[in-house]
Amino acid sequence: MIRFNSAPLTGREAAYMQEAMANGKLCGDGPFTKKCSEWMKENFKVNQCFLTTSCTHALEMAAYLCDIQPGDEVIMPSYTFVSTADAFVLRGAKIVFVDIRPETMNIDERLIEDAITEKTKAIVVVHYAGVACAMDEIMAIAKKHALKVVEDAAQGVYAWYKGKALGTIGDFGCYSFHETKNYTMGEGGALLFDDMQYRERAEILREKGTDRSKFFRGQIDKYTWVDYGSSYLPSDLNAAYLYAQLEMAKEINDRRMAIYHYYDEHFENLEKEGAICRPFVPDYAVHNAHMYYLKLKDLDTRTAFIDYMKEKGVMAVFHYIPLHTSTAGKRFGRFHGEDVYTTRESERLVRLPMFYNLTDEQVQYVTEAVLSFQGF
Ligand SMILES: *Cc1c(COP(=O)(O)O)cnc(C)c1O
């Protein structure tokens, strides 16, 4: 069976974890946590980077820092992972979903302005598959209406919009280092932002509501409880695993891109014949091959395709039942405007195996299996 995903392994992870053990500092904010955040600050040109226990937690921190209050509205696409919405729902927000662009599966920036009300506080964009949303347009709308922009860049690490790293364009950026993402620490994430006015509050939130970070910097004698917060620090053991991957970020990215292009070239004819749609990347975006997907005719074709691939020993998967159709989505949100593409496109999409350690033989095998499917 060719798995759909497998956590990347580059070689130095075990040695770095041993080193973390020898450091005698397994808790948060140890040497490897610092190395990871410094690496991201330097490579992604951002002022602040806090490693967190997940992207979900980074989003929760962003929701606090946006000062979301009960009844506030937050605009986002419905075609996304649960956490994008849940992090804001936890602060009492009402979620306002708008439709996506079919070609990128990203929020349709042309529909955002119409969904804004007096209560709107923030726009949350999701860079699906590591392909950037139309950020200039979105930032302009946010500026005009004084809204915060949070980037769910869980899939967008080492991907770019007009030369800027995804996650560094809006007010807050959230990364995921879950094992299904391009770079991993098992479970983990990061919160990124530029504006230093948020730094102290972010530190407090992440350290159980205490000013412990200031204490460690020697700025105060004792640390105490100063605000609300939680425990959003990952263990330095996990950060050690991640650092081995960040050091190899380019190699990991190059390998994923090679797999992406192999698939993409071999499925070009299928698209020309009208059997499928391939992923589309706008000129303004440099993506990171987070995933390779095909869009088939409809739900029945996709079901038949997934069954066929399984028979061939290949795991092909789909994801995201649109949030506005889920039990919690109905309770905590509403869809503004018409769902023209969200449901229709989500039912057509299927993802192929894509991970760093996938071999050339496996990629060829998957490609041949796809090409031998007769039911398009
Ligand atoms: C994976 C993912 C998340 C959640 O990431 P965790 O690190 O598992 O919390 C959130 N949003 C999107 C778009 C994702 O793909």
Side-chain angles (χ1 to χ4, degrees):
M1 195 65 157
I2 299 182
R3 295 171 59 169
F4 164 69
N5 178 66
S6 173
L9 199 59
T10 60
R12 261 177 282 180
E13 288 86 352
Y16 284 171
M17 287 178 85
Q18 289 276 354
E19 202 180 314
M21 287 160 73
N23 284 339
K25 178 129 170 97
L26 298 187
C27 66
D29 281 339
F32 280 102
T33 304
K34 293 205 174 78
K35 281 183 185 187
C36 289
S37 8
E38 288 306 317
W39 189 94
M40 286 188 269
K41 283 196 220 171
E42 197 178 308
N43 285 274
F44 301 146
K45 308 275 181 286
V46 68
N47 265 333
Q48 293 295 302
C49 174
F50 291 95
L51 218 55
T52 60
T53 27
S54 64
C55 180
T56 304
H57 282 165
L59 287 160
E60 285 180 21
M61 287 181 71
Y64 273 110
L65 294 170
C66 286
D67 204 25
I68 301 294
Q69 300 294 321
D72 286 348
E73 293 182 355
V74 177
I75 297 172
M76 66 178 66
S78 170
Y79 185 69
T80 182
F81 187 63
V82 175
S83 302
T84 319
D86 219 355
F88 292 84
V89 166
L90 280 172
R91 308 302 321 131
K94 182 95 184 161
I95 308 299
V96 178
F97 299 111
V98 299
D99 212 4
I100 52 170
R101 280 178 167 275
E103 65 278 18
T104 55
M105 307 298 283
N106 283 337
I107 191 166
D108 189 334
E109 71 284 357
R110 297 163 300 186
L111 304 175
I112 293 175
E113 205 154 17
D114 195 54
I116 295 172
T117 71
E118 310 260 86
K119 293 182 181 159
T120 309
K121 249 324 193 358
I123 303 168
V124 185
V125 301
V126 180
H127 303 295
Y128 185 72
V131 175
C133 298
M135 291 311 290
D136 283 348
E137 289 79 358
I138 292 165
M139 295 310 291
I141 296 166
K143 195 168 174 204
K144 184 172 157 197
H145 297 272
L147 305 177
K148 296 274 188 284
V149 174
V150 177
E151 297 176 73
D152 179 340
Q155 306 175 7
V157 182
Y158 212 85
W160 315 85
Y161 172 81
K162 298 185 181 174
K164 287 185 195 156
L166 301 190
T168 69
I169 304 160
D171 296 270
F172 302 101
C174 303
Y175 285 167
S176 175
F177 300 117
H178 184 261
E179 91 168 17
T180 52
K181 302 302 199 286
N182 292 25
Y183 310 97
T184 190
M185 52 198 282
E187 300 273 357
L191 175 73
L192 287 71
F193 56 87
D194 267 323
D195 192 338
M196 294 301 270
Q197 67 159 314
Y198 298 117
R199 174 177 166 183
E200 188 168 339
R201 186 113 194 271
E203 286 179 347
I204 291 167
L205 268 171
R206 185 163 165 271
E207 275 279 21
K208 301 100 182 158
T210 71
D211 49 6
R212 190 164 156 167
S213 301
K214 260 188 171 169
F215 170 73
F216 281 128
R217 279 198 299 271
Q219 293 168 315
I220 44 172
D221 305 335
K222 274 198 186 81
Y223 74 86
T224 61
W225 185 21
V226 290
D227 201 346
Y228 41 40
S230 189
S231 183
Y232 293 131
L233 294 79
S235 159
D236 215 47
L237 267 177
N238 298 55
Y241 192 101
L242 178 65
Y243 191 60
Q245 311 224 326
L246 292 179
E247 276 190 334
M248 296 278 282
K250 190 178 177 309
E251 287 80 0
I252 293 177
N253 191 64
D254 287 351
R255 175 62 189 152
R256 297 184 75 107
M257 285 305 248
I259 298 169
Y260 182 101
H261 287 304
Y262 186 90
Y263 282 147
D264 210 49
E265 281 158 26
H266 286 80
F267 303 142
E268 191 180 345
N269 277 336
L270 278 181
E271 190 176 59
K272 280 191 184 140
E273 291 159 15
I276 60 151
C277 288
R278 293 179 301 161
F280 171 78
V281 181
D283 286 341
Y284 62 64
V286 174
H287 72 111
N288 58 2
H290 173 62
M291 66 173 90
Y292 194 86
Y293 64 79
L294 301 173
K295 287 203 278 182
L296 311 184
K297 197 166 75 217
D298 52 24
L299 182 58
D300 289 344
T301 313
R302 181 177 75 181
T303 307
F305 177 83
I306 290 173
D307 289 347
Y308 177 79
M309 294 299 278
K310 200 183 270 170
E311 271 170 38
K312 288 272 180 187
V314 177
M315 295 258 294
V317 307
F318 67 88
H319 64 169
Y320 301 158
I321 307 294
L323 295 182
H324 73 285
T325 66
S326 67
T327 311
K330 283 180 192 150
R331 183 161 151 215
F332 299 120
R334 63 180 160 82
F335 198 97
H336 180 85
E338 205 187 330
D339 170 10
V340 181
Y341 297 114
T342 300
T343 299
R344 194 184 89 185
E345 297 301 300
S346 71
E347 289 179 344
R348 299 171 58 199
L349 188 142
V350 63
R351 302 168 65 185
L352 299 180
M354 164 62 83
F355 53 90
Y356 174 68
N357 302 90
L358 203 59
T359 67
D360 286 345
E361 293 70 33
Q362 287 173 320
V363 178
Q364 283 161 21
Y365 182 85
V366 173
T367 304
E368 280 160 25
V370 172
L371 294 172
S372 69
F373 179 63
Q374 296 298 314
F376 286 123

